[in-house]
Structure formats: structure tokens, C-alpha cells
Amino acid sequence: MAVTLTESAAKHVQKALNKRGKGVGLRLGVRTSGCSGMAYILEYADDVEEHDQIFESHGIKVIVDDKSMFYIDGTELDFTREGLNEGFKFNNPNVKNECGCGESFNV
């Protein structure tokens, strides 16, 4: 499978990379955290490590480390605006449960 971006997310990331003036893409991963076990890590990537997997979606490189891939394989990252709120939304088919606040998940 793969990790993908919606067109809206890709446009948002491209604007941020342009404003930042550097970066090879978006790094997506997970870490142990929260009441449900795992939390997403989302940051701009300035380089690619040897064991990273790279996916291209709408012209943006999505970089995922091998350990995180198990938890986020098949995930689509969207960028949404609802009223005054905006942000990334993870559509992860592997999630079994999420905590009440939405900050963590388990598979």
C-alpha cells in the first residue's frame, strides 16, 4: 500500500515548503503517546534517511520511516477547514480505537 495526500493537503504542504524555502517533502510517523497508545508525528523533511520509504502524492514527497509504516500504511492525509478551524486529518484504515480527545490511537 502507500501513504497519500489529498489535493488539499498537498497544496497546503507545497505552500508551507515554499514559504520555508527548503525541504524535500513531508515526514509522517508515529510515536508512543497518549491514552490510546500512538500519536502521529508530522514535520517537514530536509533529508531522507537510508531506511525511509518515499511516496509521491500530488507532487509532494511523503517520507515514512520503516517502523511507522506498520501503523500508517494506507493512510490518506487531508487538510480541512471548518469555520475558523483548519488542520490535517488522518484517514487511517488501521485504527481500531481513538482516545476521546482524538490525539492518540491504537491498531
Side-chain angles (χ1 to χ4, degrees):
M1 291 186 83
V3 176
T4 59
L5 303 175
T6 63
E7 189 173 344
S8 174
K11 286 180 181 178
H12 183 77
V13 171
Q14 188 62 61
K15 283 181 192 175
L17 287 171
N18 290 343
K19 185 176 182 180
R20 204 172 166 252
K22 64 178 180 174
V24 296
L26 185 69
R27 181 172 296 280
L28 179 58
V30 295
R31 63 180 166 83
T32 303
S33 179
C35 48
S36 288
M38 305 302 287
Y40 295 106
I41 299 169
L42 189 62
E43 59 192 13
Y44 297 105
D46 292 328
D47 54 11
V48 176
E49 301 295 327
E50 181 180 344
H51 298 288
D52 287 339
Q53 295 186 42
I54 303 170
F55 305 97
E56 186 144 338
S57 186
H58 296 284
I60 300 293
K61 286 186 174 97
V62 181
I63 303 159
V64 181
D65 66 90
D66 282 343
K67 292 178 183 177
S68 296
M69 197 63 201
F70 171 79
Y71 301 100
I72 60 176
D73 193 16
T75 296
E76 178 188 63
L77 184 61
D78 193 11
F79 187 79
T80 61
R81 288 187 176 93
E82 295 176 12
L84 297 175
N85 298 318
E86 65 180 21
F88 288 104
K89 180 180 178 188
F90 297 86
N91 299 312
N92 185 343
N94 304 302
V95 171
K96 302 279 190 260
N97 294 308
E98 293 180 313
C99 68
C101 64
E103 292 296 318
S104 64
F105 66 96
N106 66 34
V107 295

